[in-house]
Amino acid sequence: MYRIILLSSRIAKTIEIDKLKILDFYYVYPTELLDIKKPVGFKKYEKFLKREKNKYDRINNPKRIFYKMNSIQFQAMKILVAYGYLDSESFENGIVKVTEKSFGEEFQIMVEKSVELNTNLITLLAGPIADIDLYGHLGLKERTGLIEFRYDTI
């Protein structure tokens, strides 16, 4: 739930559920971003990701790991909807929208510390990567290969 809150609070607009799941995956495995079809302006972040790379951080089958994370991510979002932190009507329509309900001061401080520790990664995920359309040719689904995109209606 923590990562979902952190990422959704950093994105200024509403976001599709599948896009948030993809962003969460790359928050956990940032070096996997090196394997996507890169958007314009990605080069400056590539340097940061290469520094973080080590042989223990790589995964053999990202699509399978993403699939295993899927149910946990969805349950976390449903809990946040149940507690009123995410808008339920938007969530039913496949969109994540943060409500005005406060998380508490201690929690906000923890989120801010996390952002300070991972500034480059969060800036990349909440900025250029989140701005990529989810659907269609060169959409986030196609660029990452984590979710099937061929049968999307555009």
Side-chain angles (χ1 to χ4, degrees):
M1 285 191 292
Y2 178 76
R3 294 189 318 262
I4 299 297
I5 293 167
L6 182 129
L7 290 168
S8 60
S9 68
R10 291 288 152 208
I11 298 168
K13 57 189 184 314
T14 59
I15 185 170
E16 297 95 339
I17 291 173
D18 284 342
K19 187 184 282 189
L20 186 56
K21 289 178 183 178
I22 292 170
L23 296 177
D24 180 53
F25 174 81
Y26 287 115
Y27 183 76
V28 176
Y29 300 105
T31 55
E32 292 300 312
L33 281 166
L34 294 170
D35 297 333
I36 69 170
K37 294 177 184 172
K38 284 125 182 104
V40 176
F42 190 80
K43 286 270 188 223
K44 62 182 173 184
Y45 297 103
E46 226 171 39
K47 297 171 192 168
F48 156 74
L49 292 172
K50 285 182 181 173
R51 278 190 311 200
E52 297 292 319
K53 188 175 178 178
N54 68 53
K55 65 181 179 178
Y56 302 108
D57 200 21
R58 300 296 289 181
I59 53 178
N60 293 329
N61 192 343
K63 199 170 186 174
R64 182 176 173 104
I65 299 295
F66 178 78
Y67 178 75
K68 286 185 174 192
M69 289 175 70
N70 196 18
S71 64
I72 297 166
Q73 292 167 326
F74 194 70
Q75 290 302 318
M77 287 184 226
K78 283 174 66 175
I79 290 168
L80 291 169
V81 167
Y83 280 102
Y85 295 111
L86 300 179
D87 182 60
S88 62
E89 193 174 310
S90 298
F91 190 76
E92 288 176 15
N93 294 323
I95 303 291
V96 172
K97 179 181 177 186
V98 178
T99 63
E100 298 297 320
K101 187 172 182 179
S102 175
F103 293 109
E105 194 172 322
E106 279 184 46
F107 190 78
Q108 289 294 99
I109 291 169
M110 277 185 5
V111 168
E112 291 304 320
K113 284 182 183 177
S114 246
V115 170
E116 286 175 23
L117 291 173
N118 301 303
T119 303
N120 290 332
L121 178 60
I122 292 171
T123 302
L124 173 63
L125 293 174
I129 301 294
D131 289 341
I132 297 171
D133 287 333
L134 182 62
Y135 305 103
H137 178 63
L138 290 180
L140 198 56
K141 287 182 177 183
E142 181 182 357
R143 286 177 186 272
T144 63
L146 294 173
I147 302 175
E148 185 59 50
F149 66 92
R150 282 183 272 186
Y151 306 108
D152 287 346
T153 55
I154 303 172

